[in-house]
Amino acid sequence: MGGVRTEYAALRERHARSLAAATLVPLAEARARRLATDWAGVDIAQPAFTGTRVVRDHPLADLAELIDWTPFFSVWELRGAFPRILDDPRFGEAARKVYADAQAHLARIIDHAELRAHGVYGFWPAARVDEDDIALYDGEGRTVEVARLHTLRQQEAKRGDADGGAAHLALADFVAPADSGRRDWLGAFAVTTGDGLDDLVARFDADHDDYGSIMSKALADRLAEAFAERLHQVARRALGYGAAEDLTVDDLVHERYRGIRPAPGYPAQPDHTEKRTIWQLLDVERTAGITLTESLAMWPASSVSGLYFGHPQSRYFSVGRIGRDQVVDYARRKGMAVGEVERWLGANLGYEVKDDDAAPSPVPIGAVAG
């Protein structure tokens, strides 16, 4: 027990040092330095439809063409970018073997339809409101608000703050403000390739084939990411600006296109509770068969969800550490208790929470939830 206490004391000390090293600017100051946009001149894409579209049984062979193989090798603790890793002096031989096995395993999955791909996506009229929120409306009249998304803003001090040259970003910056005179839209999506995975894994487990079980899960994860990539391509075309794209598979894998699809729980919006709004908007459980666990991880695990932003300057970023002023404001906007927000955003807090207010994070450390 003494060793555990010593380890936790060391962890607390390192965490305290990291907090001390993080210099935060006040929320009001960070908002004043939001992404500067001349909304009068921005090319805002209008979607071909509003509301939702459901995709059932998307062909797996199509998704296989878009697999990003680099993360696949990390499952087997083989480090390196694909395809260079296949010729790596240290990992090449093992990488070639596991890649060949993966190709054979993937072919069987496709030929026997052992996994099924389902998804749902949609677009809504949208506007930035209340500084860092995004309101979604039920029609072009924009009189009835159907949902509100809440975003977090960067507060860590940046080079260029002194002369006003640094932007402190929030995802809401990529949506036209309600008073801008411009009409904007926002998209959302959820996809899974995990339908059938439990049965597939159970067969390998029954044969005590751990390798086959892990391979199945790894390939399902890769197919889910590929599905998210393919559906984003479909969404960009529906938004108009993707109609003229002439992209290679490598372009798609490395996201060389306009627009982003950030997911709740990831650096640009680390709050997993925002998934609940996406689930309500898209009726995800009914349309795609994806449920949210108590910790707001997705099930099946081989699933991806997020939002579609089409602003020409939209890009991925990390919110990083935030101050208590933002946590209090965020709790007000979401109608949550400050302590509850602190529990969900524990890894992003730039201040110490009192011990009697602390509680374990609802998402286990190391969990992956997209």
Side-chain angles (χ1 to χ4, degrees):
M1 180 64 74
V4 173
R5 287 175 177 165
T6 300
E7 182 180 352
Y8 272 88
L11 286 171
R12 283 195 297 270
E13 184 178 347
R14 285 199 297 272
H15 180 62
R17 286 200 300 269
S18 70
L19 293 181
T23 302
L24 305 180
V25 302
L27 178 59
E29 187 175 330
R31 283 173 169 167
R33 297 174 183 171
R34 70 170 68 248
L35 179 70
T37 299
D38 177 12
W39 287 104
V42 172
D43 174 25
I44 297 179
Q46 179 172 350
F49 68 93
T50 55
T52 61
R53 296 279 173 89
V54 178
V55 180
R56 300 290 296 181
D57 292 305
H58 187 90
L60 294 180
D62 172 66
L63 303 182
E65 297 175 359
L66 290 182
I67 288 179
D68 179 3
W69 287 102
T70 296
F72 168 81
F73 291 99
S74 66
V75 173
W76 312 99
E77 298 184 356
L78 300 172
R79 298 177 183 84
F82 180 82
R84 292 194 303 274
I85 190 173
L86 300 179
D87 297 316
D88 185 271
R90 182 179 177 187
F91 299 116
E93 183 178 358
R96 288 191 296 273
K97 180 186 183 305
V98 76
Y99 182 60
D101 291 345
Q103 294 300 310
H105 200 103
L106 181 59
R108 288 194 299 272
I109 287 174
I110 294 172
D111 291 344
H112 298 286
E114 292 174 322
L115 298 177
R116 291 169 295 279
H118 311 306
V120 58
Y121 70 111
F123 305 102
W124 291 265
R128 191 180 82 218
V129 296
D130 201 3
E131 294 284 358
D132 295 333
D133 288 347
I134 303 168
L136 305 182
Y137 304 97
D138 71 342
E140 291 307 323
R142 299 172 186 250
T143 55
V144 178
E145 185 176 321
V146 295
R148 183 168 294 205
L149 295 158
H150 309 275
T151 75
L152 292 160
R153 184 168 297 281
Q154 294 173 321
Q155 283 188 269
E156 291 189 33
K158 300 185 177 188
R159 292 180 181 178
D161 276 347
D163 58 12
H168 288 251
L169 300 175
L171 287 173
D173 290 351
F174 304 136
V175 176
D179 60 359
S180 67
R182 299 296 307 276
R183 290 175 175 262
D184 209 342
W185 290 263
L186 188 77
F189 76 96
V191 298
T192 186
T193 54
D195 185 7
L197 182 60
D198 285 350
D199 291 339
L200 181 58
V201 168
R203 294 206 301 272
F204 286 108
D205 288 345
D207 293 334
H208 306 287
D209 185 351
D210 292 340
Y211 184 67
S213 177
I214 295 170
M215 180 68 75
S216 299
K217 294 174 185 176
L219 289 174
D221 287 347
R222 291 297 89 215
L223 286 167
E225 291 291 347
F227 194 6
E229 195 61 72
R230 180 64 83 198
L231 195 60
H232 193 188
Q233 185 180 41
V234 171
R236 292 194 304 277
R237 289 171 178 166
L239 284 163
Y241 60 78
E245 288 180 348
D246 184 19
L247 303 176
T248 66
V249 170
D250 190 63
D251 290 332
L252 290 171
V253 168
H254 291 92
E255 300 172 338
R256 301 186 186 111
Y257 47 71
R258 171 177 162 179
I260 58 173
R261 50 178 177 88
Y266 278 77
Q269 172 46 288
D271 180 10
H272 285 271
T273 69
E274 287 295 296
K275 287 179 191 163
R276 292 170 177 152
T277 304
I278 295 176
W279 255 243
Q280 172 254 318
L281 279 167
L282 296 170
D283 196 6
V284 174
E285 187 168 348
R286 182 184 65 83
T287 56
I290 312 169
T291 60
L292 293 176
T293 68
E294 185 178 349
S295 63
L296 298 184
M298 292 177 288
W299 190 261
S302 300
S303 303
V304 182
S305 63
L307 302 171
Y308 292 138
F309 290 85
H311 189 294
Q313 291 178 273
S314 60
R315 60 186 184 271
Y316 296 104
F317 60 90
S318 176
V319 167
R321 301 282 190 183
I322 60 175
R324 196 172 191 278
D325 55 349
Q326 180 162 197
V327 169
V328 170
D329 182 81
Y330 189 72
R332 172 191 63 79
R333 285 150 47 205
K334 284 180 70 75
M336 294 171 65
V338 171
E340 185 180 2
V341 171
E342 289 175 330
R343 287 191 289 273
W344 283 104
L345 295 177
N348 292 85
L349 301 182
Y351 60 95
E352 288 282 2
V353 178
K354 294 179 181 179
D355 289 342
D356 55 357
D357 293 333
S361 169
V363 179
I365 294 174
V368 176

